[in-house]
Amino acid sequence: MEKGNYELLVFSFLHFFTTAIKLISHTHTHTNTYTMQPHHPQTPSRDRFIANRSAIDLDVARYALEGKSSTENSNDDENGGRMDDDGKQQQSIGIASPSKEAYKKSLASNYSVQNGGENGDHMNSKILAFKSKAPAPPSGMENAAREMYSSNHIGVLKGGKKQFRHIPQAPERILDAPELVDDYYLNLIDWSSQNSIAVALGCTVYLWNAGTGAIDQLMQTDVENEEEDYVTSVNWAPDGKHIAVGTNNAEVQIWDASRARKVRTLKGHEARVGALAWNGTQLATGSRDTTVMTHDVRIREHCTNTFTCHSQEVCGLKWSPSGTQLASGGNDNSLHIYDSQSLSNGTYRHKLVAHQAAVKALAWCPWQANVLASGGGTADRCIKFWNANTGAMTNSVDTHSQVCALQWNTHERELLSSHGYSQNQLCLWKYPTMTKIAEFTGHTARVLHMAQSPDGTTVVSAAADETLRFWKCFAENSADSKRVAKDAANAERSVLKRFNFR
């Protein structure tokens, strides 16, 4: 058989055999198979990720792929070879000639490809790109929400961390207070809403105007039966015009400070009155006779309730900011909390006995309802925090010194405490962590009393060293300062409107 005919026969046979196999496979694929399974609609297939050719430089992508493959071959072994399963070294086939390396370098320079190292192990070019860059905004376009979204970022760039305010460690002013009685259980200083400070020095109550610096004598007790009667407590009414004065002979006197005139005298206690607390027209008094009394100063029969809850002298009284709760502390190491219902029933709601010494320092939190802070005496030295609703103690901090008075910061979450034996200092705490922020020293004896200015920025301390010291320890509220400045500007404009300029 001739060679040409033989090749034609073989080609015809192969073509026939291939066609038969295709027919058999096509018939097997389309064979119907019936099952008992229910019919479900076919789930539509999701689209694939398709590369965007307009965003890809194919030449650079090819160069990156070739560079990656050659890099993998060159990094198989430090000696340019691979290790087989038996540990024998095999010769690498990926060794490039000097001419090829020069060619790659020229490609890199033409394609502006930046290599991260001498071996080209890092490249910044993209092989595939699934989207192109966002188009540039039109000229002159301003995003209205840009300032809102970038405010935090700007704050981080400017400060990074929260800027802490400067707290002066030295007092702004020091006043002499001769004959200030050195008695832990008395309350001899208070600051009115009209910016006037009342301080009891022995038998006399003086008023010092913090704005003008003027000093006036309000009253003086009498000496009867050869026994000295001295002032044991003072407390301003919310209106800043009337003041209650407790005396050693168990009287409570109500004075009109603007006219320096006594309005009335409240009697009922049998011993000195060392604690006073106003709540509108209602006045609470605590005495050494262990009783707490509430008075309505508007009516003739002023005593509305008498509580005999303590077993020793009552030395601390504070109304809550809402006026619905009253706290009393005594020398019996107990703390009592009264609410509106218990006040009407003549009893207390909670009796708290966690302190190990007399409880004089009391302060209600001005910005968190039902939180009460209390401080113990020399044997206790602790500041404790209470939930007035449940009576639970939420925290206790050992100050290592006698706690005499407490003042909350009305602008920040801070608490100021004054101490007696043995540190005689003031401490500023961060609430609720109770981290000590600052200490104020200068008094040479225990700091018995504290009072806060109406704007909440300054605290005056009275100590047994017979001095008054003014500390600007609390930050000024920025909103209040802006409001004051705005009011001053408005007042100036209103004055200018009264004149006609020609």
Side-chain angles (χ1 to χ4, degrees), residues 461-488:
S461 59
D465 59 4
E466 297 184 348
T467 62
L468 304 180
R469 296 174 186 263
F470 294 79
W471 313 87
K472 199 172 183 62
C473 53
F474 293 154
E476 184 176 1
N477 193 348
S478 59
D480 292 343
S481 61
K482 291 180 180 178
R483 178 178 54 82
V484 171
K486 184 178 180 180
D487 293 343

Side-chain angles (χ1 to χ4, degrees), residues 28-47:
H28 178 72
T29 302
H30 288 76
T31 303
N32 293 331
T33 303
Y34 299 94
T35 61
M36 299 300 296
Q37 297 178 356
H39 175 71
H40 296 284
Q42 185 178 0
T43 303
S45 60
R46 299 183 181 275
D47 195 8

Side-chain angles (χ1 to χ4, degrees), residues 172-381:
E172 281 193 335
R173 186 191 298 265
I174 301 177
L175 299 178
D176 292 329
E179 300 183 13
L180 182 72
V181 180
D182 183 8
D183 194 327
Y184 176 79
Y185 304 100
L186 306 184
N187 295 272
L188 303 178
I189 192 170
D190 196 22
W191 204 327
S192 75
S193 59
Q194 300 295 328
N195 206 20
S196 181
I197 297 176
V199 56
L201 302 178
C203 303
T204 310
V205 175
Y206 293 95
L207 302 181
W208 183 75
N209 191 309
T212 62
I215 300 176
D216 298 314
Q217 179 178 327
L218 177 65
M219 56 85 64
Q220 187 175 6
T221 59
D222 298 328
V223 178
E224 297 178 358
N225 299 327
E226 298 181 357
E227 182 181 355
E228 184 180 2
D229 182 21
Y230 57 92
V231 178
T232 55
S233 57
V234 293
N235 190 249
W236 284 99
D239 60 5
K241 298 179 181 179
H242 296 85
I243 183 172
V245 179
T247 62
N248 188 50
N249 65 354
E251 287 185 355
V252 178
Q253 301 177 8
I254 309 298
W255 285 77
D256 185 348
S258 60
R259 297 184 296 174
R261 179 182 175 182
K262 183 168 65 172
V263 178
R264 67 180 303 182
T265 300
L266 308 178
K267 295 184 178 181
H269 287 291
E270 299 178 357
R272 69 179 187 180
V273 181
L276 301 168
W278 283 93
N279 181 26
T281 59
Q282 188 177 18
L283 177 65
T285 60
S287 173
R288 182 180 272 182
D289 62 6
T290 72
T291 62
V292 175
M293 300 178 67
T294 56
H295 311 265
D296 190 341
V297 299
R298 299 170 298 178
I299 59 179
R300 182 179 181 86
E301 300 298 329
H302 53 82
C303 183
T304 57
N305 266 314
T306 301
F307 305 90
T308 57
C309 305
H310 293 276
S311 59
Q312 294 189 38
E313 180 175 8
V314 179
C315 52
L317 277 176
K318 288 290 181 182
W319 286 97
S320 64
S322 62
T324 59
Q325 294 173 306
L326 174 67
S328 66
N331 195 30
D332 56 356
N333 308 344
S334 66
L335 171 64
H336 291 79
I337 298 178
Y338 315 82
D339 59 5
S340 56
Q341 182 177 1
S342 62
L343 286 171
S344 60
N345 297 332
T347 182
Y348 57 85
R349 181 175 182 181
H350 300 294
K351 181 179 180 180
L352 311 173
V353 293
H355 283 288
Q356 304 300 318
V359 183
K360 176 199 172 187
L362 299 173
W364 290 90
C365 183
W367 30 259
Q368 188 172 0
N370 304 316
V371 173
L372 174 66
S374 61
T378 306
D380 184 75
R381 306 181 304 274

